[in-house]
């Protein structure tokens, strides 16, 4: 609240809302975290939502041709139903009021789909129209698609770009759409869907091509995180990458599940981005006002100032020590200025800027520490229900019965079945009193070609009694751990009880 009171006067005085984004409202701060899905048609956006919710939602249409031609906000409601766009934008409890400026052409293609689903108690999901290639679509939409996307991008917590592994082409409109997420790079995640439809070699090519195309569209210093998998509840066509898909789905679920916990920090972050842009905007507008002649030659001066905007940016950056990244895009700003009357702009009011600076320096810092305190005291808010529950426990939990966890629910020591083969090697290493020295063990262990750091860890785990030598069971365990690592699984920090060799297990204390 306080932040809004400090920021609003500055925004209003310099007409920030006409240039950048409409004023913030209470609902923007009180709403559940939102996930925006964007992709070309038939990349599986709607199916992806169905996969997460594990149920159909009202208004959902799925098909190979472009079926979803509306923005659908999928939200929690006590009963199932649809709310049309015109009604949505007058509801003060929903964060969509400011969408009314996109007019009827947009509102007729916007709706809220409500249903009582556990997942939606923690997050809301926004399905966007499937993007086609070609000019005809841009004309037929009747509203500025990219601007609507940008409006959502500023307010959501996660933007998921969906791609289809077996037809990867990024149309012009999709590139434009992705470009409209400029400045929101930290919210973007990429899903390479339908990855079971191609073989491993094709998948690697597609992944490479995708990274290359995205690199051209999104200028971010970090490499974007791409989740590879098949996000629908059908049998996999190609099962050779099953483990990869499992692990990737787990990572994506974790990413989405952490959103409620990080929502407050995200909102503050967005507020800081906004406050910095509002300050820069004030400097630009007041500079243009200062340069305008009082009587003659206003039109010519206006043209000259607009064309000199890039130089003005550099001058302001030097004068006020602002980084170039805080400035709005030159071309867009020039377009917006074309229609303005510069003489009606306000000159610089240092008080308004000071108020925002104080807010950034003091209020936000204390809010940040308050939020991180609250978060550490809060039970971790997790997303539950739908697909998020199917992967946590039981034998189909991630990695269950694989790698180190293999044999956890069996009575017999899991290493025993391969021990005869390991024993043969053990006896060629000339054991003394049933044990081989560290040097002999090392000679055998390095044949695995694993790096020393890994072998050192395996040695620590396998030498159960810590005597610097291995008996036949400890040696078999070392070989088992090497095999686990070579199969691509992680090693545990401490040895799980089911892997401890039988002769090294502490006898259970019998009651007197």
């Amino acid at each position: 609240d306080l932040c809004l009171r400090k920021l609003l006067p500055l925004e209003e005085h310099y007409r920030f809302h006409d240039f950048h984004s409409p004023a913030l409202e209470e609902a923007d701060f009180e709403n559940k975290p939102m996930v925006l899905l964007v992709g070309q048609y038939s990349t599986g956006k709607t199916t992806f939502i169905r996969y997460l919710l594990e149920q159909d939602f009202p208004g959902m249409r799925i098909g190979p041709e472009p079926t979803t031609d509306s923005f659908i906000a999928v939200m929690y409601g006590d009963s199932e139903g649809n709310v049309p766009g015109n009604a949505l934008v007058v509801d003060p409890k929903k964060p969509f009021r400011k969408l009314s400026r996109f007019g009827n052409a947009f509102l007729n293609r916007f709706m809220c789909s409500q249903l009582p689903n556990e997942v939606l108690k923690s997050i809301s999901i926004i399905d966007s129209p499937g993007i086609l290639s070609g000019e005809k679509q841009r004309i037929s939409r009747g509203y500025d698609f990219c601007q609507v996307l940008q409006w959502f991008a500023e307010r959501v917590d996660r933007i998921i770009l969906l791609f289809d592994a077996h037809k990867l082409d990024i149309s012009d409109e999709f590139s434009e759409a992705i470009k409209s997420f400029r400045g929101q790079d930290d919210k973007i995640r990429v899903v390479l869907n339908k990855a079971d439809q191609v073989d491993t070699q094709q998948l690697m090519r597609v992944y490479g091509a995708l990274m290359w195309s995205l690199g051209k569209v999104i200028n971010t210093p970090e490499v974007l995180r791409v989740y590879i998998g098949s996000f629908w509840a059908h049998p996999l066509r190609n099962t050779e990458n099953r483990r990869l898909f499992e692990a990737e789905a787990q990572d994506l679920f974790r990413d989405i599940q952490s959103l409620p916990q990080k929502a407050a920090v995200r909102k503050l972050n967005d507020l800081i981005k906004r406050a910095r842009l509002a300050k820069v905007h004030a400097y630009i507008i007041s500079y243009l006002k200062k340069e305008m002649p009082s009587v003659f030659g206003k039109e010519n001066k206006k043209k000259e100032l607009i064309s000199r905007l890039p130089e003005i940016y550099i001058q302001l950056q030097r004068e006020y020590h602002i980084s170039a990244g805080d400035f709005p895009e030159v071309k867009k700003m020039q377009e917006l200025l074309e229609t303005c009357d510069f003489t009606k702009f306000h000159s610089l009011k240092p008080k308004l800027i000071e108020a925002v600076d104080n807010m950034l320096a003091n209020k936000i810092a204390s809010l940040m520490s308050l939020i991180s305190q609250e978060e550490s005291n809060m039970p971790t808010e997790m997303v539950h229900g739908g697909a998020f529950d199917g992967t946590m426990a039981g034998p189909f939990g991630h990695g269950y019965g694989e790698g180190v966890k293999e044999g956890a629910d069996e009575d017999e020591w899991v290493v025993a079945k391969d021990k005869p083969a390991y024993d043969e090697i053990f006896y060629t290493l000339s054991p003394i009193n049933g044990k081989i020295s560290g040097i002999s063990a090392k000679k055998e262990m390095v044949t695995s070609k694993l790096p020393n750091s890994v072998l050192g860890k395996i040695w620590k785990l396998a030498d159960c009694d810590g005597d610097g030598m291995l008996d036949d069971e400890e040696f078999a365990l070392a070989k088992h751990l090497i095999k686990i690592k070579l199969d691509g699984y992680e090693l545990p920090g401490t040895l799980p009880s089911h892997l401890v060799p039988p002769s090294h297990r502490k006898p259970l204390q019998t009651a007197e």
Side-chain angles (χ1 to χ4, degrees):
D1 249 21
L2 217 156
C3 301
L4 295 186
R5 281 210 304 278
K6 291 263 165 52
L7 190 53
L8 208 58
L10 177 76
E11 291 188 350
E12 282 175 346
H13 196 69
Y14 296 105
R15 295 175 44 192
F16 180 82
H17 307 142
D18 301 345
F19 283 85
H20 302 293
S21 82
L24 292 170
E25 297 188 333
E26 292 294 302
D28 287 323
F29 289 92
E30 285 162 12
N31 246 280
K32 294 187 185 98
M34 296 194 285
V35 178
L36 171 66
L37 286 182
V38 184
Q40 292 180 170
Y41 74 96
S42 92
T43 43
K45 288 193 303 300
T46 310
T47 312
F48 180 77
I49 299 177
R50 213 205 153 283
Y51 170 78
L52 292 183
L53 302 182
E54 290 186 345
Q55 78 175 94
D56 292 347
F57 54 91
M60 148 181 148
R61 301 217 304 278
I62 295 175
E65 73 288 352
T67 43
T68 306
D69 61 347
S70 310
F71 280 85
I72 303 179
V74 186
M75 303 178 95
Y76 186 83
D78 294 325
S79 57
E80 282 200 21
N82 284 328
V83 183
N86 286 297
L88 266 182
V89 293
V90 290
D91 182 349
K93 288 201 176 64
K94 297 252 190 313
F96 303 126
R97 285 169 55 144
K98 289 295 193 297
L99 279 166
S100 56
R101 70 186 174 111
F102 293 108
N104 270 336
F106 166 71
L107 294 179
N108 293 335
R109 302 207 171 286
F110 177 44
M111 61 185 242
C112 174
S113 171
Q114 293 187 317
L115 64 159
N117 182 294
E118 192 68 25
V119 174
L120 300 173
K121 283 185 178 170
S122 329
I123 56 171
S124 301
I125 306 173
I126 293 170
D127 192 6
S128 63
I131 296 172
L132 291 154
S133 42
E135 190 62 28
K136 100 177 177 306
Q137 180 184 11
R138 215 166 304 178
I139 299 160
S140 66
R141 281 222 161 102
Y143 62 89
D144 191 329
F145 180 61
C146 287
Q147 275 203 312
V148 174
L149 279 182
Q150 191 180 350
W151 188 94
F152 277 114
E154 283 171 10
R155 285 159 185 78
V156 300
D157 298 69
R158 205 36 103 241
I159 299 167
I160 295 182
L161 301 178
L162 252 95
F163 292 90
D164 180 331
H166 75 294
K167 47 170 189 289
L168 183 69
D169 55 325
I170 301 183
S171 71
D172 296 347
E173 195 179 16
F174 198 14
S175 298
E176 289 302 306
I178 297 171
K179 280 181 190 148
S180 63
F181 300 144
R182 193 174 163 249
Q184 311 291 341
D185 306 328
D186 48 336
K187 296 180 182 177
I188 297 178
R189 300 289 182 272
V190 178
V191 170
L192 186 55
N193 199 8
K194 308 190 185 180
D196 64 319
Q197 314 269 323
V198 295
D199 62 33
T200 307
Q201 192 181 4
Q202 275 171 297
L203 187 57
M204 288 177 72
R205 284 198 190 129
V206 168
Y207 178 78
L210 176 64
M211 294 308 273
W212 187 80
S213 315
L214 284 174
K216 292 198 318 194
V217 187
I218 302 177
N219 313 320
T220 157
E222 279 93 51
V223 174
L224 282 169
R225 174 67 166 98
V226 176
Y227 299 93
I228 302 170
S230 176
F231 295 93
W232 65 344
H234 291 261
L236 299 174
R237 236 195 232 178
N238 224 319
T239 52
E240 54 195 64
N241 295 311
R242 185 185 191 111
R243 273 193 40 223
L244 169 73
F245 299 161
E246 271 297 298
E248 293 281 287
Q250 283 304 315
D251 287 355
L252 179 61
F253 284 169
R254 252 179 245 124
D255 183 69
I256 296 174
Q257 281 183 310
S258 68
L259 293 178
Q261 218 190 335
K262 296 181 182 152
V265 172
R266 195 275 306 165
K267 284 172 183 156
L268 258 187
N269 258 336
D270 281 357
L271 186 71
I272 294 168
K273 270 188 215 167
R274 186 185 176 100
R276 286 166 57 169
L277 180 61
K279 261 176 59 181
V280 169
H281 179 74
Y283 287 134
I284 296 170
I285 294 296
S286 53
Y287 179 90
L288 296 175
K289 165 75 176 173
K290 190 181 79 190
E291 293 292 302
M292 283 305 276
S294 49
V295 194
F296 298 114
K298 290 181 182 163
E299 268 311 300
N300 289 341
K301 187 65 180 173
K302 174 178 160 178
K303 278 196 185 113
E304 181 213 326
L305 285 170
I306 290 179
S307 66
R308 264 188 48 226
L309 199 61
E311 297 153 46
I312 294 171
Y313 274 18
I314 293 167
Q315 193 179 330
L316 293 173
Q317 283 162 27
R318 287 200 194 116
E319 194 175 332
Y320 297 106
H321 311 291
I322 314 169
S323 80
D326 285 354
F327 280 76
E329 215 176 340
V330 174
K331 252 173 60 191
K332 196 178 152 201
M333 195 68 183
Q334 284 170 324
E335 278 168 27
L336 290 165
L337 286 168
E338 292 284 347
T339 55
C340 296
D341 179 354
F342 286 16
T343 53
K344 295 217 170 82
F345 285 169
H346 292 290
S347 37
L348 193 62
K349 262 192 161 172
K351 269 216 176 94
L352 288 175
I353 291 195
E354 254 167 56
V356 172
D357 277 340
N358 284 339
M359 172 190 97
L360 287 171
N362 311 324
K363 297 286 179 297
I364 298 255
S366 58
L367 266 175
M368 272 292 188
S369 61
L370 204 79
I371 285 175
S372 48
Q373 258 175 351
E374 266 182 34
E375 276 186 359
S376 53
N377 298 337
M378 255 172 26
T380 47
E381 273 190 74
M382 281 294 219
V383 179
H384 286 295
F388 295 98
D389 289 353
T391 46
M392 292 307 154
F396 292 94
H398 181 50
Y400 189 95
E402 301 175 352
V404 176
K405 299 184 186 130
E406 189 192 346
D409 45 12
E410 291 166 22
D411 295 336
E412 200 192 355
W413 187 40
V414 65
V415 185
K417 62 182 191 307
D418 297 319
K419 191 165 178 289
Y422 298 148
D423 281 352
E424 278 180 26
I425 304 170
F426 180 77
Y427 288 110
T428 62
L429 299 173
S430 43
I432 298 164
N433 300 334
K435 294 191 172 198
I436 56 170
S437 67
I439 291 176
S440 307
K442 180 179 175 179
K443 270 185 196 141
E444 170 55 33
M445 285 167 74
V446 294
T447 62
S448 67
K449 297 195 170 74
L450 285 170
N452 277 0
S453 54
V454 176
L455 292 173
K457 190 171 177 183
I458 289 174
W459 172 268
K460 253 204 296 225
L461 292 169
D463 182 10
C464 297
D465 49 16
D467 63 355
M469 295 189 279
L470 301 181
D471 62 24
D472 60 329
E473 283 187 349
E474 290 172 322
F475 176 75
L477 174 61
K479 292 292 279 184
H480 180 72
L481 292 169
I482 286 173
K483 180 170 163 287
I484 286 174
K485 191 66 195 167
L486 290 175
D487 285 345
Y489 296 98
E490 290 308 312
L491 293 172
T494 53
L495 197 65
S497 55
H498 71 277
L499 285 182
V500 176
S503 63
H504 290 267
R505 294 183 186 177
K506 295 194 172 54
L508 293 168
Q509 303 296 321
T510 45
E512 290 293 317

